[in-house]
Amino acid sequence: MIRMILADDEPVITRGIKKLLDWKALGIEIVGEYEDGRKAFEAIVREKPEIALLDISMPGLSGVEILKECRAIGNGISVIFISGFQDFEYAKAALQYGAVDYLLKPVIREELLRAIEKSISVTGPGKAGNLETGRNKRNIEDAGYERLIENEETVYVTVYADIVYKKEEDAQMRKLIHFSLFSFLEEYLNETRQGIVFQKNNRIVMVLKGIEGGKAREVTEEICAESLKATGHTAFFVIGDAVRSMGEIPGMFGQCLERGGYLFFADKMTVPVINLHERVFGGRGDSHMLGEVRQKLFDAAVAQNEEQMKENVRQYGRLILRLSEGKKEDACFYFCSAVRFMEERCEALDLPGHKSEMKELLERSRECGSFGEMEAMFEQEFERFPDRIRAVAANSDKKDILKARDYIEKHYMENLSLNVLAEEIHMNPYYFSSFFKKNTGENFKDYVNRIRVEHAMSMLLSTDMKTYEIAEKAGFGDIRMFNTAFMKIYQETPGSYRKRVRESKGDN
């Protein structure tokens, strides 16, 4: 039999509709009559009828609101609207939400029969057997929403659940673990009567009933702890906002999925449960602080201080956690930028050694299954730099010249004199002058000016700063000194160089 409900706040209308047709002969069973829209919706969710005749205007929920709710939760019931003349335009507009037909009061027998036939053809071609198949299919699509129904209004909290897999687990093993978590949640929520769980596009969705605020987090953290005992795997949860309509659940789940990127960072959470709008990793952090820690990393490598390097890597990782905001790709970029910085500093100091291939490094980092794994991978990358520097530092003269170059690279913008640097290296200024030229091939003044010009070059091409401003920032005493040093290297003034390069790129 095809199952149908009637809903109208005027009992005389429902009684009249029951008498208009021989419903049993049509293979239709009327399983409920309702005068309230909310109770009619609850009956649709609970009883899963194939057809509903709904009044447009009812207390609790209107017919259109019922249809919207049904479509939002994936219930494909065939709806026929009944309306008074004053609701005529409203009823027509409601067809856009998927109503099969609308009938004006008083309902005419022939029109009702046509609407019923149309409903049957939409729901399943012609026969009750087909309709029964359709009804069973919807039992799956409706995901047990009937268990959320209560006699009074309540709230629903949507929770996205996932698993923190281990690196060695293959696809088949992950399917089994996924099934294990889903089965646990289904059993747990059945026993506690706290809500339901279902899957949408292979994603696990929990819906907690009558729980909101801090209580929702408390319940989810308890579920998280129990799931670990049951499955042996850490589960990850994103808690959505409380809503008062089942129709809002799919949209709220979509918002929870947007925070799903934090699954990659779950191994760094004390409890892998987050709220939709919370800041997951607290503390202060910005790109300027990243730059400072990158410099500390290199300084520790030069000083051959392995413990300090490890601490700097951990500090850099904590900053990345805050700045990435759940985006794995951002974390990859921040780590790779630190390696690139270290490579550039080594090149500036003419240090020998293998240069990292950034494309390969980025691809390897993308293959990491968790933030902890990515952090460990880059810690190994950083460990190569002390070895590169150690090969140079083993020679006393090379160690001193490395220290001098590093000091110049850090302080080129200051009033850097031969005496200042000689004192830093703990060497007699007169001896240091010849020592520097012997080990670099340049006298001290020319070397410093070249480093300053290289940094000035970057500002010339990437900013709109005035030439005299660049000269000052690069450490030159005045524009004349800047022009002289620049022309010695490039045989033209900074201004003409900037103009020529920009014109060649079409920047007029």
Side-chain angles (χ1 to χ4, degrees):
M1 294 286 284
I2 300 168
R3 294 151 57 85
M4 181 176 77
I5 68 163
L6 305 177
D8 195 302
D9 59 349
E10 299 179 68
V12 66
I13 298 294
T14 54
R15 287 197 298 269
I17 287 174
K18 288 174 67 176
K19 293 177 181 178
L20 271 179
L21 297 173
D22 185 345
W23 297 104
K24 188 173 181 180
L26 290 170
I28 295 175
E29 177 188 3
I30 297 174
V31 295
E33 302 168 39
Y34 306 92
E35 299 177 23
D36 176 273
R38 182 167 294 281
K39 290 180 180 177
F41 173 65
E42 291 173 358
I44 290 171
V45 174
R46 184 176 57 249
E47 303 296 337
K48 296 181 172 59
E50 284 77 31
I51 302 173
L53 266 69
L54 305 176
D55 187 14
I56 283 283
S57 301
M58 287 184 288
L61 291 174
S62 73
V64 174
E65 288 171 332
I66 291 173
L67 182 55
K68 286 181 180 178
E69 289 284 302
C70 287
R71 295 302 182 253
I73 64 174
N75 188 306
I77 187 170
S78 294
V79 173
I80 302 169
F81 284 127
I82 309 168
S83 70
F85 183 77
Q86 67 273 18
D87 298 318
F88 181 67
E89 292 300 324
Y90 184 36
K92 285 198 300 183
L95 292 178
Q96 66 180 303
Y97 296 109
V100 172
D101 208 343
Y102 65 89
L103 305 172
L104 285 176
K105 299 177 183 178
V107 177
I108 299 170
R109 183 180 184 278
E110 287 73 18
E111 292 180 352
L112 175 59
L113 184 58
R114 281 197 298 270
I116 292 296
E117 289 174 346
K118 191 186 296 184
S119 295
I120 291 174
S121 67
V122 168
T123 309
K127 304 297 178 184
N130 291 331
L131 287 169
E132 190 66 22
T133 300
R135 186 169 72 83
N136 290 337
K137 183 173 183 291
R138 282 204 298 276
N139 281 339
I140 298 171
E141 292 174 349
D142 290 348
Y145 280 111
E146 72 277 2
R147 286 168 42 214
L148 296 177
I149 294 297
E150 292 185 345
N151 292 327
E152 57 186 38
E153 290 190 35
T154 187
V155 296
Y156 309 104
V157 174
T158 307
V159 183
Y160 161 48
D162 214 324
I163 302 157
V164 183
Y165 293 108
K166 297 170 184 174
K167 183 180 181 181
E168 62 273 14
E169 291 163 345
D170 60 18
Q172 186 61 33
M173 180 61 72
R174 293 187 179 200
K175 283 183 182 178
L176 292 173
I177 297 165
H178 179 95
F179 176 76
S180 175
L181 175 63
F182 181 79
S183 298
F184 161 77
L185 293 173
E186 193 171 42
E187 184 179 345
Y188 185 92
L189 293 173
N190 271 334
E191 289 179 358
T192 60
R193 302 186 65 80
Q194 291 175 322
I196 64 171
V197 62
F198 59 95
Q199 297 194 69
K200 185 175 179 63
N201 299 327
N202 208 36
R203 303 282 193 174
I204 299 177
V205 190
M206 287 197 309
V207 182
L208 304 178
K209 178 182 65 176
I211 300 169
E212 58 183 319
K215 184 66 176 174
R217 187 182 187 104
E218 182 182 324
V219 167
T220 306
E221 288 185 353
E222 183 178 337
I223 291 173
C224 182
E226 292 300 317
S227 69
L228 177 60
K229 295 176 187 176
T231 67
H233 278 71
T234 300
F236 166 77
F237 300 89
V238 181
I239 305 171
D241 297 333
V243 299
R244 297 192 174 275
S245 160
M246 276 192 281
E248 295 177 81
I249 291 172
M252 185 53 63
F253 179 61
Q255 291 185 48
C256 290
L257 274 180
E258 290 176 6
R259 300 272 281 176
Y262 275 103
L263 174 63
F264 179 74
F265 303 86
D267 61 334
K268 293 297 179 179
M269 300 178 195
T270 307
V271 180
V273 176
I274 65 174
N275 289 318
L276 190 59
H277 307 291
E278 77 171 296
R279 184 174 177 84
V280 179
F281 297 105
R284 191 169 62 91
D286 54 32
S287 57
H288 178 70
M289 290 178 69
L290 280 177
E292 289 180 348
V293 178
R294 283 195 293 260
Q295 182 60 56
K296 288 179 181 178
L297 261 173
F298 188 77
D299 291 346
V302 171
Q304 300 289 290
N305 189 332
E306 293 183 8
E307 284 303 313
Q308 186 60 50
M309 274 204 74
K310 288 180 180 179
E311 174 54 36
N312 292 146
V313 171
R314 287 191 288 268
Q315 186 182 356
Y316 197 72
R318 290 193 293 269
L319 284 171
I320 291 176
L321 286 174
R322 297 167 199 158
L323 294 173
S324 297
E325 296 183 339
K327 300 180 182 68
K328 178 180 179 178
E329 192 67 19
D330 285 6
C332 293
F333 169 78
Y334 288 133
F335 269 126
C336 284
S337 70
V339 175
R340 184 183 293 111
F341 172 82
M342 300 282 278
E343 292 285 6
E344 289 173 350
R345 292 304 310 274
C346 285
E347 287 178 7
L349 299 176
D350 293 330
L351 293 176
H354 171 70
K355 183 178 179 181
S356 300
E357 184 60 51
M358 286 300 137
K359 183 179 178 181
E360 178 188 337
L361 195 60
L362 189 59
E363 288 174 355
R364 282 173 50 209
S365 65
R366 286 170 175 160
E367 291 171 359
C368 292
S370 68
F371 185 80
E373 185 184 336
M374 181 184 289
E375 191 174 34
M377 186 196 99
F378 277 97
E379 186 171 355
Q380 289 183 341
E381 281 294 313
F382 294 132
E383 285 173 357
R384 294 189 304 102
F385 290 97
D387 293 338
R388 289 177 66 176
I389 294 168
R390 192 177 297 117
V392 175
N395 180 297
S396 179
D397 284 355
K398 289 183 177 180
K399 182 178 179 180
D400 287 337
I401 206 66
L402 175 64
K403 186 175 180 181
R405 281 177 163 175
D406 187 49
Y407 189 88
I408 293 169
E409 187 66 32
K410 292 177 187 174
H411 301 274
Y412 68 88
M413 72 293 294
E414 300 171 11
N415 183 20
L416 192 57
S417 67
L418 184 67
N419 288 343
V420 168
L421 196 52
E423 184 177 347
E424 183 68 25
I425 305 302
H426 307 296
M427 197 175 287
N428 180 282
Y430 297 104
Y431 173 72
F432 176 73
S433 178
S434 60
F435 168 81
F436 189 89
K437 185 169 184 178
K438 176 184 175 184
N439 285 277
T440 65
E442 294 179 89
N443 66 48
F444 173 76
K445 182 179 178 181
D446 288 343
Y447 182 89
V448 172
N449 281 343
R450 181 169 58 81
I451 297 300
R452 286 171 172 168
V453 165
E454 287 174 1
H455 286 279
M457 177 84 73
S458 175
M459 289 184 274
L460 279 170
L461 299 180
S462 62
T463 75
D464 290 323
M465 292 170 57
K466 303 293 185 184
T467 308
Y468 70 86
E469 293 175 323
I470 293 174
E472 184 179 346
K473 281 191 171 293
F476 289 101
D478 53 45
I479 186 66
R480 182 185 58 79
M481 291 175 64
F482 179 33
N483 285 337
T484 300
F486 197 94
M487 288 185 70
K488 184 175 182 179
I489 299 173
Y490 293 102
Q491 288 76 53
E492 63 181 320
T493 65
S496 64
Y497 174 83
R498 171 189 264 177
K499 182 180 179 182
R500 178 173 58 80
V501 171
R502 289 190 173 182
E503 284 178 349
S504 68
K505 292 181 179 181
D507 299 331
N508 295 314

